[in-house]
Every structure is written in structure tokens, then in C-alpha cells.
Amino acid sequence: MLKFVVYVVVLGICFDQGLTQGASENLGGPPGRPGKRGVPGQKGEVGEKGMKGEAGAPAPKGTNQLKAIQEMLETHSNQIQLLEDKIYSLCKQTTKPENGWYAPNNGYQYKVITTTLTWQESRRSCQNMGADLAAVGMRNLSVRRNLATALFRTSTLTWIGLSDLDYDGQWVWVDEVPATEETAAWLPGEPNDGRYSRCAHINYKTPKYQANDVPCSGRRYNALCEKPINDLC
């Protein structure tokens, strides 16, 4: 009887150890194959609409109007330039001068004042006729040659629109163009009389109809007036 009890106890202990060892071996075994992917879930509901953002700060007063004006100017600048070029071209094509005036096809017309006057008196006389002492044409040799042939058959020394009265020591044409080697045809060595000779006349006896500086009030010459063919030029 005692042997049977001992046998049962031993058998029970062995059985428990077998279960424990089996469990331990199962925990350390290789991983199983992954299962099949499940059916995808249903699409979630759309979230609530977000809140409306705050409005931006308003543009400074007048900014939009200024921008509109700038855009308009940029848009029409090319058209304005084309129109100006067209007007200038038409002026150049208009060669009919006023009565008593001569046009050498440079967009200007000319007239000689045959009464001998000082430089200042000559300029006032030209201005009274809506003109000024000649400047534009005097900067072009072909125009000077044209005028010499057409107008100066008797007189040779004639006032033109060149002096240093407004800018002491700096010779400037009456249309505010500075006198340089390119814009003023001086006789060789001129101007040379310093502060006493501050006005210029042109000498049509010289080959290139060149200028000389003389006193403005101490001499009296004829004068050459110049003005545009029409008011648009």
C-alpha cells in the first residue's frame, strides 16, 4: 500500500514537471505565420468646418488710387511717346514759313533784323515777334550755309543767341544749351576778350560762318531771329 502511494506521488510530480517543461518550450518556439489582413474599416465622418479667419488690415488711404494711377501711366506711356514722335515728325514736314520768314527745312524759320542794334536790343526785337536770337540753326553747319545763301547777301556781321551774360565765364545759348566744341562754331582763338566781350555775332565772311565774341552794348549789328515753324514744335 505504501509503495502505491509513493508511486502516485512520484507520478504526479513527473506529470507537473512535464507540463512545466512543455510550456517553457512553447514560449521559446518560432513565431507563427502572420494572419490574413482584415477587412478595411468604414470611412470616418467629415470633421466640422473650421472657423473663418480674421480680415486683413485695410490698405492705407489713397494707396489703391495711387496704384491705379501708376498702372494707367505705365499702360499709356508708350502711346504718349508714339504721339509725341508723330507730332515732331509732322512739324519737321511742315516747311511753309510765315510771311517774311525763311525756312531751311529744320523745323524752324528765320528772319533778319536789318536795323543795327545792340545784342540786348536785338533779342527784345526778336522776342516781340514771338522768336529769339538764333540758336538751334547756328549749331548746324548746313543750316548756317543755307541761311548765308538765302538771307545774308549784304550784311555779314549778325547777332546770334549766344552769350555768357547769365553764367559769367560760361557761354550758353538762349535755349539753355551750353556752348561746347560740338555746339559752338567759334573762329580760331575765340572767345578771347574775357569779361568785356560777352556776346557773340556770326561772321558770314568766314568759310564756316563762325562766331566771334564782342561787347554786348558797344557794337551794333543786324540780328538773326529764330522760332519754330508752328507752336507744336
Side-chain angles (χ1 to χ4, degrees), residues 82-160:
L82 290 174
L83 181 60
E84 290 178 348
D85 293 343
K86 182 65 175 178
I87 291 173
Y88 184 75
S89 177
L90 291 174
C91 287
K92 291 297 185 182
Q93 296 173 15
T94 305
T95 57
K96 186 177 179 180
E98 299 176 14
N99 291 334
W101 291 73
Y102 173 76
N105 297 326
N106 71 332
Y108 290 81
Q109 54 189 333
Y110 298 84
K111 185 174 184 177
V112 175
I113 298 176
T114 56
T115 304
T116 57
L117 302 169
T118 65
W119 190 89
Q120 290 92 337
E121 292 170 343
S122 296
R123 188 176 188 190
R124 283 194 295 269
S125 295
C126 290
Q127 291 171 337
N128 289 337
M129 294 186 288
D132 209 333
L133 286 171
V136 177
M138 298 299 97
R139 298 194 287 267
N140 187 299
L141 176 58
S142 63
V143 174
R144 294 200 304 273
R145 183 180 292 115
N146 188 316
L147 294 173
T149 303
L151 300 179
F152 297 97
R153 295 171 183 166
T154 56
S155 61
T156 56
L157 301 180
T158 305
W159 290 121
I160 58 175

Side-chain angles (χ1 to χ4, degrees), residues 187-209:
L187 285 166
E190 303 294 341
N192 62 359
D193 289 338
R195 62 190 182 91
Y196 296 105
S197 297
R198 306 185 64 181
C199 295
H201 69 72
I202 198 167
N203 187 346
Y204 277 93
K205 286 184 178 179
T206 61
K208 294 184 179 180
Y209 321 105

